[in-house]
mmCIF file of all heavy atoms in Angstrom:
data_model
loop_
_atom_site.group_PDB
_atom_site.id
_atom_site.type_symbol
_atom_site.label_atom_id
_atom_site.label_comp_id
_atom_site.label_asym_id
_atom_site.label_seq_id
_atom_site.Cartn_x
_atom_site.Cartn_y
_atom_site.Cartn_z
ATOM 1 N N SER A 125 16.214 -4.321 -19.593
ATOM 2 C CA SER A 125 16.291 -3.977 -18.170
ATOM 3 C C SER A 125 15.074 -3.133 -17.810
ATOM 4 O O SER A 125 14.348 -2.681 -18.696
ATOM 5 C CB SER A 125 17.538 -3.177 -17.821
ATOM 6 O OG SER A 125 18.448 -3.159 -18.852
ATOM 7 N N VAL A 126 14.887 -2.894 -16.513
ATOM 8 C CA VAL A 126 13.704 -2.173 -16.051
ATOM 9 C C VAL A 126 14.118 -0.834 -15.431
ATOM 10 O O VAL A 126 15.005 -0.792 -14.578
ATOM 11 C CB VAL A 126 12.935 -3.014 -15.001
ATOM 12 C CG1 VAL A 126 11.692 -2.270 -14.535
ATOM 13 C CG2 VAL A 126 12.574 -4.382 -15.578
ATOM 14 N N PHE A 127 13.470 0.247 -15.880
ATOM 15 C CA PHE A 127 13.703 1.575 -15.288
ATOM 16 C C PHE A 127 12.372 2.208 -14.921
ATOM 17 O O PHE A 127 11.345 1.889 -15.515
ATOM 18 C CB PHE A 127 14.422 2.492 -16.276
ATOM 19 C CG PHE A 127 15.844 2.097 -16.512
ATOM 20 C CD1 PHE A 127 16.184 1.320 -17.616
ATOM 21 C CD2 PHE A 127 16.838 2.473 -15.622
ATOM 22 C CE1 PHE A 127 17.502 0.938 -17.842
ATOM 23 C CE2 PHE A 127 18.153 2.092 -15.837
ATOM 24 C CZ PHE A 127 18.492 1.324 -16.939
ATOM 25 N N GLU A 128 12.431 3.118 -13.930
ATOM 26 C CA GLU A 128 11.213 3.839 -13.554
ATOM 27 C C GLU A 128 11.470 5.336 -13.545
ATOM 28 O O GLU A 128 12.597 5.771 -13.313
ATOM 29 C CB GLU A 128 10.733 3.386 -12.174
ATOM 30 C CG GLU A 128 10.065 2.032 -12.253
ATOM 31 C CD GLU A 128 9.530 1.539 -10.924
ATOM 32 O OE1 GLU A 128 9.399 2.359 -10.007
ATOM 33 O OE2 GLU A 128 9.252 0.333 -10.846
ATOM 34 N N GLY A 129 10.413 6.104 -13.785
ATOM 35 C CA GLY A 129 10.526 7.561 -13.737
ATOM 36 C C GLY A 129 9.442 8.117 -12.828
ATOM 37 O O GLY A 129 8.570 7.382 -12.390
ATOM 38 N N PRO A 130 9.485 9.435 -12.549
ATOM 39 C CA PRO A 130 8.518 10.042 -11.618
ATOM 40 C C PRO A 130 7.126 10.214 -12.241
ATOM 41 O O PRO A 130 7.007 10.338 -13.461
ATOM 42 C CB PRO A 130 9.135 11.407 -11.318
ATOM 43 C CG PRO A 130 9.929 11.728 -12.542
ATOM 44 C CD PRO A 130 10.444 10.416 -13.082
ATOM 45 N N GLU A 131 6.113 10.229 -11.371
ATOM 46 C CA GLU A 131 4.739 10.415 -11.843
ATOM 47 C C GLU A 131 4.440 11.896 -12.097
ATOM 48 O O GLU A 131 3.616 12.236 -12.932
ATOM 49 C CB GLU A 131 3.759 9.833 -10.811
ATOM 50 C CG GLU A 131 3.819 8.314 -10.812
ATOM 51 C CD GLU A 131 3.306 7.662 -9.540
ATOM 52 O OE1 GLU A 131 2.601 8.331 -8.760
ATOM 53 O OE2 GLU A 131 3.618 6.476 -9.331
ATOM 54 N N LEU A 132 5.110 12.765 -11.338
ATOM 55 C CA LEU A 132 5.003 14.211 -11.606
ATOM 56 C C LEU A 132 6.102 14.534 -12.621
ATOM 57 O O LEU A 132 7.281 14.322 -12.344
ATOM 58 C CB LEU A 132 5.212 15.002 -10.308
ATOM 59 C CG LEU A 132 5.110 16.515 -10.443
ATOM 60 C CD1 LEU A 132 3.695 16.935 -10.788
ATOM 61 C CD2 LEU A 132 5.552 17.186 -9.154
ATOM 62 N N GLU A 133 5.688 15.022 -13.794
ATOM 63 C CA GLU A 133 6.641 15.142 -14.892
ATOM 64 C C GLU A 133 6.596 16.559 -15.455
ATOM 65 O O GLU A 133 5.616 17.284 -15.261
ATOM 66 C CB GLU A 133 6.230 14.087 -15.931
ATOM 67 C CG GLU A 133 7.198 13.659 -16.970
ATOM 68 C CD GLU A 133 8.658 13.554 -16.565
ATOM 69 O OE1 GLU A 133 9.271 14.608 -16.357
ATOM 70 O OE2 GLU A 133 9.192 12.428 -16.524
ATOM 71 N N SER A 134 7.639 16.941 -16.133
ATOM 72 C CA SER A 134 7.624 18.264 -16.779
ATOM 73 C C SER A 134 6.863 18.175 -18.099
ATOM 74 O O SER A 134 6.800 17.113 -18.721
ATOM 75 C CB SER A 134 9.057 18.738 -17.028
ATOM 76 O OG SER A 134 9.690 17.872 -17.949
ATOM 77 N N ASP A 135 6.293 19.295 -18.485
ATOM 78 C CA ASP A 135 5.622 19.372 -19.775
ATOM 79 C C ASP A 135 6.625 19.025 -20.875
ATOM 80 O O ASP A 135 6.294 18.348 -21.846
ATOM 81 C CB ASP A 135 5.086 20.806 -19.967
ATOM 82 C CG ASP A 135 4.384 20.980 -21.294
ATOM 83 O OD1 ASP A 135 5.062 21.251 -22.309
ATOM 84 O OD2 ASP A 135 3.154 20.820 -21.319
ATOM 85 N N TYR A 136 7.873 19.436 -20.652
ATOM 86 C CA TYR A 136 8.913 19.165 -21.658
ATOM 87 C C TYR A 136 9.074 17.663 -21.894
ATOM 88 O O TYR A 136 9.012 17.195 -23.032
ATOM 89 C CB TYR A 136 10.242 19.789 -21.211
ATOM 90 C CG TYR A 136 11.345 19.496 -22.205
ATOM 91 C CD1 TYR A 136 11.455 20.235 -23.386
ATOM 92 C CD2 TYR A 136 12.249 18.459 -21.985
ATOM 93 C CE1 TYR A 136 12.440 19.946 -24.325
ATOM 94 C CE2 TYR A 136 13.240 18.159 -22.915
ATOM 95 C CZ TYR A 136 13.331 18.903 -24.085
ATOM 96 O OH TYR A 136 14.284 18.608 -25.007
ATOM 97 N N ASN A 137 9.288 16.894 -20.818
ATOM 98 C CA ASN A 137 9.513 15.450 -20.997
ATOM 99 C C ASN A 137 8.269 14.721 -21.494
ATOM 100 O O ASN A 137 8.361 13.770 -22.257
ATOM 101 C CB ASN A 137 9.953 14.807 -19.677
ATOM 102 C CG ASN A 137 11.392 15.131 -19.333
ATOM 103 O OD1 ASN A 137 12.147 15.586 -20.181
ATOM 104 N ND2 ASN A 137 11.768 14.897 -18.087
ATOM 105 N N ASN A 138 7.098 15.174 -20.990
ATOM 106 C CA ASN A 138 5.868 14.459 -21.320
ATOM 107 C C ASN A 138 5.414 14.727 -22.764
ATOM 108 O O ASN A 138 4.824 13.860 -23.396
ATOM 109 C CB ASN A 138 4.758 14.860 -20.346
ATOM 110 C CG ASN A 138 3.573 13.907 -20.378
ATOM 111 O OD1 ASN A 138 3.574 12.879 -19.720
ATOM 112 N ND2 ASN A 138 2.548 14.234 -21.168
ATOM 113 N N PHE A 139 5.684 15.953 -23.244
ATOM 114 C CA PHE A 139 5.200 16.315 -24.585
ATOM 115 C C PHE A 139 6.306 16.791 -25.531
ATOM 116 O O PHE A 139 6.521 16.220 -26.578
ATOM 117 C CB PHE A 139 4.142 17.424 -24.481
ATOM 118 C CG PHE A 139 2.840 16.980 -23.863
ATOM 119 C CD1 PHE A 139 2.318 17.644 -22.762
ATOM 120 C CD2 PHE A 139 2.127 15.916 -24.401
ATOM 121 C CE1 PHE A 139 1.103 17.258 -22.205
ATOM 122 C CE2 PHE A 139 0.908 15.524 -23.839
ATOM 123 C CZ PHE A 139 0.410 16.198 -22.735
ATOM 124 N N GLU A 140 6.956 17.871 -25.090
ATOM 125 C CA GLU A 140 7.803 18.593 -26.036
ATOM 126 C C GLU A 140 8.962 17.750 -26.567
ATOM 127 O O GLU A 140 9.172 17.661 -27.781
ATOM 128 C CB GLU A 140 8.331 19.855 -25.377
ATOM 129 C CG GLU A 140 8.568 20.949 -26.393
ATOM 130 C CD GLU A 140 8.733 22.292 -25.729
ATOM 131 O OE1 GLU A 140 7.964 22.574 -24.772
ATOM 132 O OE2 GLU A 140 9.639 23.036 -26.149
ATOM 133 N N ALA A 141 9.693 17.119 -25.666
ATOM 134 C CA ALA A 141 10.838 16.320 -26.099
ATOM 135 C C ALA A 141 10.376 15.134 -26.943
ATOM 136 O O ALA A 141 11.138 14.570 -27.722
ATOM 137 C CB ALA A 141 11.625 15.838 -24.880
ATOM 138 N N LEU A 142 9.098 14.760 -26.770
ATOM 139 C CA LEU A 142 8.562 13.629 -27.537
ATOM 140 C C LEU A 142 7.949 14.104 -28.859
ATOM 141 O O LEU A 142 7.140 13.404 -29.470
ATOM 142 C CB LEU A 142 7.521 12.869 -26.703
ATOM 143 C CG LEU A 142 8.124 12.046 -25.556
ATOM 144 C CD1 LEU A 142 7.031 11.630 -24.565
ATOM 145 C CD2 LEU A 142 8.840 10.798 -26.093
ATOM 146 N N ASN A 143 8.323 15.343 -29.220
ATOM 147 C CA ASN A 143 7.948 15.845 -30.541
ATOM 148 C C ASN A 143 6.486 16.281 -30.642
ATOM 149 O O ASN A 143 5.928 16.308 -31.733
ATOM 150 C CB ASN A 143 8.266 14.771 -31.603
ATOM 151 C CG ASN A 143 8.518 15.363 -32.975
ATOM 152 O OD1 ASN A 143 9.033 16.470 -33.078
ATOM 153 N ND2 ASN A 143 8.139 14.637 -34.017
ATOM 154 N N PHE A 144 5.860 16.560 -29.488
ATOM 155 C CA PHE A 144 4.546 17.203 -29.528
ATOM 156 C C PHE A 144 4.835 18.707 -29.423
ATOM 157 O O PHE A 144 5.172 19.151 -28.332
ATOM 158 C CB PHE A 144 3.697 16.884 -28.287
ATOM 159 C CG PHE A 144 3.209 15.484 -28.082
ATOM 160 C CD1 PHE A 144 4.053 14.491 -27.586
ATOM 161 C CD2 PHE A 144 1.869 15.172 -28.275
ATOM 162 C CE1 PHE A 144 3.564 13.215 -27.309
ATOM 163 C CE2 PHE A 144 1.382 13.903 -27.996
ATOM 164 C CZ PHE A 144 2.225 12.920 -27.519
ATOM 165 N N PRO A 145 4.723 19.490 -30.499
ATOM 166 C CA PRO A 145 4.900 20.935 -30.294
ATOM 167 C C PRO A 145 3.719 21.488 -29.493
ATOM 168 O O PRO A 145 2.697 20.810 -29.345
ATOM 169 C CB PRO A 145 4.938 21.506 -31.703
ATOM 170 C CG PRO A 145 4.615 20.390 -32.629
ATOM 171 C CD PRO A 145 4.411 19.138 -31.868
ATOM 172 N N ASP A 146 3.884 22.728 -29.011
ATOM 173 C CA ASP A 146 2.877 23.356 -28.155
ATOM 174 C C ASP A 146 1.466 23.282 -28.722
ATOM 175 O O ASP A 146 0.508 23.050 -27.999
ATOM 176 C CB ASP A 146 3.242 24.833 -27.962
ATOM 177 C CG ASP A 146 3.610 25.102 -26.515
ATOM 178 O OD1 ASP A 146 3.376 24.194 -25.683
ATOM 179 O OD2 ASP A 146 4.113 26.199 -26.226
ATOM 180 N N ASP A 147 1.360 23.515 -30.014
ATOM 181 C CA ASP A 147 0.023 23.588 -30.608
ATOM 182 C C ASP A 147 -0.335 22.314 -31.379
ATOM 183 O O ASP A 147 -1.229 22.300 -32.206
ATOM 184 C CB ASP A 147 -0.046 24.802 -31.557
ATOM 185 C CG ASP A 147 1.077 24.752 -32.590
ATOM 186 O OD1 ASP A 147 1.945 23.840 -32.482
ATOM 187 O OD2 ASP A 147 1.098 25.596 -33.500
#
Side-chain angles (χ1 to χ4, degrees):
S125 349
V126 181
F127 290 97
E128 284 182 16
E131 289 159 17
L132 181 67
E133 198 36 289
S134 64
D135 179 275
Y136 178 79
N137 285 345
N138 195 84
F139 291 125
E140 210 165 318
L142 288 165
N143 206 32
F144 292 78
D146 246 349
D147 54 354

